[in-house]
């Protein structure tokens, strides 16, 4: 007979670290920064603070890295600090498909605690925390995880005065590999593009300081929490929701726990499912739940509300691209909110084009974002990549070989915002290819593509015009010499007439 | 200055035309912000017609525009003006020069670019022809010489640039026909010749000269080294006109040879504007005829199969409006039917001197020619 035992959280971590983004030392370092920065941005936005984030990586002894991420967010109250930061799977963001939720960067509440654990496992050192909430004293401590009990271990707690109004600072030591390309540098650069309202400072292991200045003075629109839409729910989730619902009847359960269901729809859904409206939610069995789900999905219900999303915005996207790239042309498109499987999502595409952006004969650079967070791995499996390579770029005046990214000095950013982004795996690095999502991406690319095409053809015209005049100027002097010879008029006089006419045509 | 010119009386007029058309008018167009444009006569098949009365190919009046402010024309426009100016300078200096000379004379690098005004002589040659037509000036009047090829001997004395030349005493090479044979340079003196024989090829002409054919038959023999140059064509016309002699044409039996006959007789497409001065409308085609193989029982070994280029050329020629005469068509159609061509040298299969001893005299005596 099998023996059941509870596995230690560290063992779970060890076995699942690929799911959490720690599968190799390079990725681990990036994940650390990514989790910390994502958390900071989310916290600032929730508290309506324009984010100011300082990141530094030090590498004093070659093997271990000291990572520091500091923000000007609201901080975490002393009593919550340890629990929020150092306990796995605790967080405000943990949810599953179809449940009520809100667009946020992190989605699984695993973030910073996994980092603390990884630091502890690779260096044996505790993570240093500094947290200050408004009007309180600065609180600092060292945090570790008790891996057998999944409980935080707090040491060196201190309270002291600080001139800083509020914010959180995390310093941890870890083993990792620092890589410039497609590593921390690119992550911060890309993050700055999608978050032009943030100011990000980065000091790399060599001591080089990079500042991504804030170019948007306003915070993005805050996403609103949204109830699940009846068309986008799965049976397991429904059963779980039925069991947990505080509602006393299935009728009120439908109205309270879902969006877009009114009294009329609730009654009809119950009728079709053969359920009494007064049935207690937790009394519904599996078969009944299945009927209820079928009935919910058959019912005619309004599309989910769209104010639950917080896009980057066209203006901000343009600003983000302009501050990052020396582009001769930028364009952006924010599509209206759409739904896939009753889940709202929104696509935004930005494009920067310029001869100085990339060396010639190189494929365009594609930056993928979900909820304003850049994605780094599994590009070719991602719906975004598929939509971009399927776009007929030649139509927009850009060469492209079949099944490849276009060949042009340009950067394409594609952002998919959603309450629940359908990643193909827990690694959260590629979006599943839902036709509705691909279609929206294609439409957005089409819009910026057409603008690019107009730009390129006007550039071409300008170039052709310039070249024409050069040709005429080149021959003009010879023509003047010949006319002067033929007519006997002084060369200077003839030249003036000829060149004047050439200049006049320059317009 | 125009007055220095010793040759033509026309010089002043030609210079004035060049000045007007390529200088003053063009400058005017620049000054008045009109598109500076030259109108150049089209010298292709589409702009020639056959004048049945004169029996000549004539140039139509279609022109093409050559505009400076047009990318595809700009370079040619510039080249045209450079050549026009070059010609004007040449006339003023009173010297003549070859068209190759003029090419080098006008070729230079443009400003601080890497581009030349002309890269190849092939670029400047057609422009010279453009200017001839536009200024209504003969090439000679522009003081330009084409490359001279072609030789002549016979029962005739001439004067060339003041020197008296007895064409009966020209040895084996003959007198080289110059490019310019206008009356102010070449004059005809004592003549005992009864006819003129134009021979396509140098080698065959040499046979005729070596055999002293012209002495035996009192004639003038002349060749143009293939397609005859202007000088030879003009010479044929003058000999025919001024000495009132019949002209016979002896060419290879292939489409190219037959076309040479047609050019001598009624002019060419490219120089249609010169037909009036060069064509010999009653020149007689004496051979080789497509029917000669049967007539003279020439062995099959001396024939050459028509290749694709030959056949294509026959088709092209038959489509020309000036190739509609029944006898001409029969010649070409018979050639295609047999599928072979004959070179003049094929007659040597009989005997080396067959062509001079038998073939030519017989043909002339029996009046076996086409006209």
């Amino acid at each position: 007979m099998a023996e059941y035992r509870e596995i230690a959280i560290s063992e779970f971590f060890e076995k699942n670290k690929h799911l959490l983004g720690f599968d190799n030392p390079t990725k681990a370092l990036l994940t650390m920064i990514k989790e910390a920065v994502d958390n900071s941005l989310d916290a600032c936005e929730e508290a309506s603070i324009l984010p100011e984030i300082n990141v530094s990586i030090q590498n004093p002894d070659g093997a271990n890295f000291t990572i520091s991420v500091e923000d000007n967010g609201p901080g975490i109250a002393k009593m919550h600090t340890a629990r929020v930061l150092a306990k796995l799977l605790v967080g405000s963001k943990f949810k599953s498909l179809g449940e009520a939720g809100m667009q946020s960067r992190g989605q699984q509440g695993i973030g910073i605690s996994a980092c603390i654990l990884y630091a502890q496992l690779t260096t044996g050192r505790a993570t240093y925390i500094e947290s200050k909430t408004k009007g309180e004293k600065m609180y600092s401590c060292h945090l570790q995880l008790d891996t057998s009990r999944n409980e935080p271990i707090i040491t060196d707690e201190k309270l002291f005065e600080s001139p800083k109004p509020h914010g959180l600072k995390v310093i941890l030591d870890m083993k990792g590999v620092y890589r410039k390309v497609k590593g921390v540098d690119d992550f911060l650069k890309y993050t700055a593009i999608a978050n032009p309202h943030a100011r990000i400072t980065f000091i790399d292991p060599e001591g080089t300081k990079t500042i991504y200045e804030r170019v948007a003075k306003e915070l993005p629109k805050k996403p609103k929490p949204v109830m699940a839409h009846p068309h986008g729910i799965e049976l397991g989730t429904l059963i779980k929701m039925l069991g947990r619902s505080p509602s006393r009847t299935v009728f009120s359960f439908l109205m309270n726990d879902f969006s877009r269901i009114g009294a009329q729809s609730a009654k009809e859904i119950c009728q079709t499912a053969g359920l009494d409206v007064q049935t207690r939610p937790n009394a519904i069995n599996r078969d009944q739940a299945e009927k209820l789900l079928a009935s919910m999905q058959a019912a005619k219900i309004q599309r989910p509300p769209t104010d639950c999303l917080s896009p980057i915005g066209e203006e901000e996207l343009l600003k983000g691209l302009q501050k990052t790239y020396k582009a001769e042309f930028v364009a952006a498109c924010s599509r209206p909110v759409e739904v896939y499987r009753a889940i709202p999502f929104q696509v935004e595409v930005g494009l920067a084009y310029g001869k100085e952006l990339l060396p010639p004969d190189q494929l365009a650079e594609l930056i993928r974002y979900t909820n304003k967070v850049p994605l780094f791995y599994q590009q070719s499996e991602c719906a975004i990549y598929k939509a971009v390579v399927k776009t007929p770029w030649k139509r927009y005046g850009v060469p492209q070989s079949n099944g490849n990214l276009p060949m042009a000095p340009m950067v394409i950013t594609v952002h998919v915002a959603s309450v629940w982004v359908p990643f193909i795996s827990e690694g959260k690095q590629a979006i599943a290819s839902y036709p509705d999502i691909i279609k929206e991406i294609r439409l957005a690319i089409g819009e910026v593509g057409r603008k690019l095409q107009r730009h390129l053809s006007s550039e071409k015209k300008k170039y052709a015009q310039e070249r024409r005049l050069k040709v005429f100027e080149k021959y003009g002097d010879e023509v003047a010499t010949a006319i002067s010879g033929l007519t006997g008029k002084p060369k200077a006089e003839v030249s003036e007439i000829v060149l004047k006419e050439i200049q006049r045509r320059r317009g | 200055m125009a007055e220095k010119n010793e040759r033509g009386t026309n010089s002043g007029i030609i210079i004035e035309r060049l000045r007007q058309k390529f200088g003053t008018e063009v400058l005017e167009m620049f000054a008045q912000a009109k598109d500076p444009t030259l109108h150049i006569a089209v010298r292709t098949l589409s702009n020639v017609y056959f004048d049945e009365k004169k029996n000549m190919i004539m140039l139509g009046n279609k022109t093409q525009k050559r505009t400076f402010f047009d990318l595809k024309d700009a370079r040619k426009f510039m080249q045209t003006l450079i050549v026009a100016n070059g010609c004007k300078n040449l006339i003023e200096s009173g010297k003549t020069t070859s068209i190759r000379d003029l090419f080098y004379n006008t070729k230079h690098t443009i400003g601080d670019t890497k581009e030349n005004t002309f890269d190849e002589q092939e670029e400047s040659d057609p422009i010279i022809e453009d200017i001839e037509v536009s200024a209504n000036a003969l090439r000679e009047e522009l003081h330009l010489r084409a490359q001279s090829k072609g030789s002549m001997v016979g029962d005739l004395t001439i004067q060339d640039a003041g020197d008296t030349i007895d064409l009966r005493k020209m040895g084996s090479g003959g007198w080289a026909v110059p490019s310019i044979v206008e009356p102010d340079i070449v004059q005809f003196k004592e003549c005992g010749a009864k006819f003129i024989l134009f021979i396509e090829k140098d080698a065959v002409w040499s046979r005729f000269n070596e055999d002293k054919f012209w002495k035996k038959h009192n004639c003038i023999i002349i060749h143009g080294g293939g397609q005859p140059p202007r000088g030879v064509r003009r010479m044929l016309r003058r000999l025919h006109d001024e000495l009132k002699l019949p002209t016979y044409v002896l060419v290879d039996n292939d489409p190219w040879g037959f076309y040479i006959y047609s050019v001598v007789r009624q002019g060419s497409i490219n120089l249609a504007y010169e037909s009036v001065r060069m064509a010999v409308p009653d020149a007689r085609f004496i051979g080789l005829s497509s029917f000669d193989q049967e007539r003279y029982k020439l062995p099959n070994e001396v024939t050459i199969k028509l290749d694709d280029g030959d056949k294509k050329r026959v088709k092209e020629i038959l489509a020309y409006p000036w190739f509609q005469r029944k006898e001409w068509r029969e010649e070409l159609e018979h050639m295609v039917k047999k599928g072979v061509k004959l070179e003049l040298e094929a007659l040597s299969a009989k005997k080396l001197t067959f062509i001079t001893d038998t073939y030519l005299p017989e043909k002339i005596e029996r009046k076996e020619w086409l006209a």
Side-chain angles (χ1 to χ4, degrees):
Chain A
M1 209 176 132
E3 201 180 316
Y4 293 96
R5 69 182 179 94
E6 228 177 297
I7 61 166
I9 196 77
S10 56
E11 205 177 315
F12 169 82
F13 182 89
E14 194 55 44
K15 280 187 175 144
N16 293 286
K17 61 182 183 184
H18 60 286
L19 299 181
L20 306 173
F22 294 92
D23 24 348
N24 61 59
T26 312
K27 214 172 158 184
L29 181 64
L30 176 62
T31 301
M32 289 277 195
I33 302 284
K34 185 166 138 57
E35 290 298 338
V37 170
D38 289 352
N39 273 351
S40 290
L41 288 169
D42 273 343
C44 285
E45 282 167 27
E46 238 177 283
S48 301
I49 298 163
L50 282 169
E52 183 130 6
I53 300 169
N54 302 316
V55 179
S56 85
I57 300 176
Q58 283 172 293
N59 180 213
D61 60 1
N64 291 347
F65 287 87
T66 302
I67 292 170
S68 162
V69 178
E70 180 183 15
D71 66 39
N72 63 338
I76 305 169
K78 175 178 177 287
M79 56 180 288
H80 297 307
T81 309
R83 210 177 70 86
V84 168
L85 293 177
K87 201 166 165 177
L88 279 176
L89 310 179
V90 172
S92 58
K93 301 166 187 167
F94 191 66
K95 59 184 176 286
S96 62
L97 172 59
E99 278 186 288
M102 177 170 89
Q103 177 192 330
S104 66
R105 292 178 174 79
Q107 280 191 330
Q108 282 159 331
I110 246 165
I112 207 75
S113 43
C115 298
I116 293 169
L117 181 56
Y118 186 81
Q120 179 180 329
L121 291 173
T122 55
T123 65
R125 293 197 191 134
T127 298
Y128 174 74
I129 307 286
E130 259 183 32
S131 173
K132 187 173 186 299
T133 53
K134 205 175 169 186
E136 299 294 319
K137 280 190 177 172
M138 179 71 86
Y139 165 73
S140 77
C141 68
H142 280 91
L143 270 184
Q144 273 184 291
L145 260 77
D146 179 340
T147 51
S148 58
R149 293 188 299 127
N150 191 19
E151 285 296 333
I153 303 165
I154 309 164
T155 49
D156 299 336
E157 281 187 284
K158 275 176 199 146
L159 274 172
F160 56 94
E161 296 292 339
S162 160
K164 201 175 156 177
H166 44 76
L168 183 72
K169 184 177 189 175
V170 178
I171 301 176
L172 41 76
D173 287 346
M174 65 170 291
K175 277 208 162 49
V177 171
Y178 169 77
R179 193 172 68 173
K180 255 188 142 47
V181 179
K182 291 277 168 198
V184 178
D185 296 65
D186 278 346
F187 168 75
L188 292 175
K189 177 166 130 188
Y190 296 168
T191 300
I193 294 171
N195 299 275
H197 62 291
R199 183 179 191 272
I200 303 172
T201 312
F202 174 51
I203 300 170
D204 72 10
E206 283 161 10
T208 312
K209 189 171 181 178
T210 311
I211 300 172
Y212 298 96
E213 284 296 350
R214 175 178 299 125
V215 288
K217 295 277 175 288
E218 271 169 47
L219 278 161
K221 188 186 80 175
K222 251 195 222 179
K224 283 189 185 158
V226 62
M227 292 294 157
H229 191 273
H231 285 178
I233 200 157
E234 285 166 340
L235 184 60
T237 313
L238 178 62
I239 292 169
K240 203 163 72 188
M241 285 169 77
L242 284 165
R244 287 203 310 223
S245 176
S247 302
R248 300 175 67 87
T249 67
V250 66
F251 178 75
S252 56
F253 165 75
L254 286 171
M255 294 218 307
N256 295 339
D257 290 15
F258 290 94
S259 69
R260 300 299 197 212
I261 299 187
Q264 186 60 33
S265 317
K267 224 160 92 186
E268 276 170 24
I269 289 168
C270 291
Q271 247 165 27
T272 318
L275 279 171
D276 186 343
V277 290
Q278 296 298 327
T279 317
R280 291 180 69 84
N282 56 12
I284 290 171
N285 65 27
R286 199 202 148 277
D287 286 352
Q288 286 171 317
E290 206 170 352
K291 278 187 191 142
L292 180 63
L293 182 69
S295 160
M296 280 164 69
Q297 279 170 350
K300 267 202 173 158
I301 296 163
Q302 262 194 309
R303 278 153 57 114
T306 55
D307 56 359
C308 52
L309 296 180
S310 166
I312 302 167
E314 283 180 9
E315 277 299 306
E316 286 67 26
L317 248 172
L318 292 175
K319 283 179 189 162
L321 286 169
Q322 272 158 344
K323 81 163 173 192
T324 315
Y325 297 105
K326 231 177 134 188
E328 64 185 60
F329 169 81
V330 289
C333 166
S334 256
R335 294 284 306 165
V337 175
E338 267 297 328
V339 287
Y340 77 95
R341 293 181 55 193
I343 297 165
F345 74 98
Q346 185 169 8
V347 170
E348 298 180 288
V349 168
L351 189 150
Y353 182 98
K355 300 247 155 32
E356 290 169 35
L357 285 192
L358 295 173
D361 302 328
Q362 199 165 303
L363 295 179
E365 189 175 339
L366 172 63
I367 311 176
R368 299 171 293 137
Y369 295 96
T370 55
N371 293 342
K372 304 180 190 172
V373 177
L375 305 180
F376 275 81
Y377 299 93
Q378 295 180 288
Q379 171 166 279
S380 60
E381 290 153 65
C382 184
I384 291 177
Y385 177 79
K386 288 178 187 168
V388 173
V389 300
K390 270 187 210 151
T391 302
W393 285 94
K394 280 176 196 156
R395 193 182 290 169
Y396 308 128
V398 176
Q400 175 191 28
S401 62
N402 243 352
N404 269 315
L405 288 172
M407 175 107 64
M410 66 182 183
V411 174
I412 308 159
T413 67
V414 179
H415 176 219
V416 176
S418 179
V419 172
W420 197 86
V421 178
F423 289 111
I424 58 169
S425 70
E426 288 305 318
K428 295 199 286 178
Q429 290 294 332
I431 303 174
S433 300
Y434 283 98
D436 291 332
I437 297 180
I438 291 198
K439 184 182 151 206
E440 276 301 303
I441 298 172
R442 289 281 303 267
L443 287 171
I445 292 173
E447 246 179 70
V448 298
R450 280 186 292 278
K451 285 180 192 158
L452 174 68
Q453 192 254 331
R454 280 197 293 275
H455 166 76
L456 290 179
S457 69
S458 82
E459 277 300 297
K460 227 180 186 170
K461 259 189 222 146
K462 255 192 256 164
Y463 174 76
Q465 178 69 5
E466 201 45 45
R467 208 184 63 111
R468 275 167 58 93
L469 287 165
K470 284 254 166 68
V471 168
F472 301 141
E473 272 167 14
K474 182 171 66 182
Y475 296 150
D477 191 57
E478 292 290 336
V479 165
T481 307
I483 294 176
S484 159
L486 283 160
T487 58
K489 288 201 163 88
K491 166 79 190 294
E493 188 185 316
V494 177
S495 274
E496 204 193 309
I497 294 170
V498 170
L499 291 177
K500 207 175 119 196
E501 177 60 8
I502 294 172
Q503 287 308 320
R504 191 187 68 82
R505 281 172 189 257
R506 186 182 285 275
Chain B
M1 299 286 352
E3 288 72 33
K4 281 189 199 162
N5 184 354
E6 304 151 8
R7 280 194 49 218
T9 45
N10 264 347
S11 293
I13 300 169
I14 303 294
I15 287 177
E16 196 42 45
R17 279 188 205 146
L18 291 175
R19 166 176 303 152
Q20 196 60 32
K21 203 165 162 93
F22 300 101
T24 315
E25 283 177 21
V26 173
L27 187 61
E28 196 92 323
M29 289 185 262
F30 270 108
Q32 295 178 0
K34 289 176 188 159
D35 260 345
T37 303
L38 301 169
H39 296 269
I40 307 285
V42 175
R43 287 178 291 105
T44 59
L45 182 59
S46 66
N47 192 35
V48 298
Y49 66 97
F50 187 60
D51 186 322
E52 306 249 358
K53 255 199 207 135
K54 291 185 185 147
N55 241 330
M56 282 177 198
I57 297 172
M58 308 292 281
L59 189 67
N61 44 24
K62 246 190 257 174
T63 59
Q64 60 187 25
K65 283 182 182 174
R66 191 168 292 168
T67 307
F68 180 64
F69 287 108
D70 181 331
L71 277 187
K72 65 178 194 317
D73 282 0
R75 181 172 160 87
K76 254 195 174 170
F77 184 98
M78 167 198 73
Q79 290 173 332
T80 312
L81 261 56
I82 289 175
V83 171
N85 189 35
C87 290
K88 180 213 150 226
N89 291 339
L90 199 57
I91 301 171
E92 280 181 352
S93 74
K95 299 253 188 291
T96 65
T97 184
S98 69
I99 52 176
R100 184 147 188 84
D101 253 348
L102 184 72
F103 160 64
Y104 277 115
N105 199 260
T106 50
K107 174 182 176 169
H108 57 259
T109 308
I110 300 171
D112 51 4
T113 68
K114 282 180 184 153
E115 190 178 333
N116 287 328
T117 49
F118 298 92
D119 288 324
E120 307 283 339
Q121 196 187 333
E122 281 76 45
E123 268 188 299
S124 69
D125 286 0
I127 286 177
I128 294 169
E129 284 161 5
D130 290 341
I131 287 171
E132 285 174 40
V133 188
S134 304
N136 195 12
L138 303 175
R139 176 166 292 187
E140 302 77 46
E141 291 172 334
L142 295 173
H143 288 216
L144 285 171
R145 279 180 267 122
Q147 188 197 352
S148 48
K149 55 176 184 172
S151 299
M152 174 174 160
V153 289
D155 197 353
L156 175 68
T157 306
I158 60 164
Q159 204 152 1
D160 174 13
D163 299 333
T164 303
I165 293 166
D166 186 349
L167 295 185
R168 301 164 198 89
K169 295 175 177 169
M170 295 309 298
S172 61
W175 175 67
V177 183
S179 168
I180 301 175
V181 295
E182 290 312 301
D184 58 332
I185 306 232
V186 177
Q187 297 96 35
F188 304 137
K189 303 291 178 193
E190 307 85 68
C191 173
K194 301 282 179 294
F195 65 92
I196 305 152
L197 178 61
F198 169 81
I199 300 164
E200 177 182 349
K201 296 150 108 176
D202 183 7
V204 179
W205 178 89
S206 295
R207 162 97 273 118
F208 277 77
N209 191 20
E210 194 180 303
D211 296 349
K212 294 283 176 266
F213 180 88
W214 54 270
K215 209 174 207 170
K216 266 177 242 163
H217 299 276
N218 291 84
C219 68
I220 297 163
I221 58 171
I222 177 168
H223 79 84
Q227 184 64 258
R230 291 170 185 235
V232 170
R233 286 182 56 200
R234 177 69 179 142
M235 177 59 84
L236 282 171
R237 170 64 176 269
R238 283 194 61 208
L239 290 169
H240 172 267
D241 277 11
E242 293 167 36
L243 303 176
K244 309 261 182 284
L245 299 177
T247 305
Y248 298 95
V249 175
L250 182 61
V251 292
D252 281 342
N253 176 236
D254 60 29
W256 320 95
F258 205 86
Y259 191 71
I260 287 175
Y261 164 62
S262 84
V263 168
V264 168
R265 187 177 194 270
Q266 39 198 41
S268 70
I269 299 170
N270 194 36
L271 295 183
Y273 58 98
E274 290 278 46
S275 295
V276 189
R277 300 188 325 116
M278 290 181 176
V280 184
D282 51 16
R284 294 160 179 177
F285 171 77
I286 193 96
L288 295 183
S289 157
S290 301
F291 300 94
D292 280 347
Q293 197 198 348
E294 293 96 321
R295 213 177 276 151
Y296 292 94
K297 301 198 170 50
L298 298 174
N300 278 332
E301 303 90 80
V302 301
T303 64
I304 302 171
K305 269 184 84 176
L306 290 176
D307 61 27
D308 290 347
D310 295 330
K311 288 178 193 160
K312 198 174 147 240
R313 185 66 183 140
V314 171
K315 259 191 202 155
E316 244 169 45
I317 290 176
L318 284 173
Y320 292 148
W322 55 91
F323 259 87
Q324 300 312 312
R325 192 165 302 133
K326 185 170 148 269
E327 296 84 354
W328 289 25
R329 299 188 76 82
E330 278 172 1
E331 279 289 330
L332 290 166
E333 278 155 9
H334 192 65
M335 189 192 303
V336 174
K337 202 178 129 203
K338 288 190 304 165
V340 294
K341 53 187 177 183
L342 274 175
E343 288 196 282
L344 284 164
E345 286 88 338
L347 295 175
S348 309
K350 289 255 169 198
K351 196 180 137 206
L352 217 51
T353 55
F354 177 74
I355 191 167
T356 50
D357 287 352
T358 319
Y359 180 84
L360 238 285
E362 258 185 40
K363 277 225 162 179
I364 292 176
E365 202 186 306
R366 295 183 196 156
K367 299 194 157 74
E368 276 177 10
W369 65 70
L370 299 180

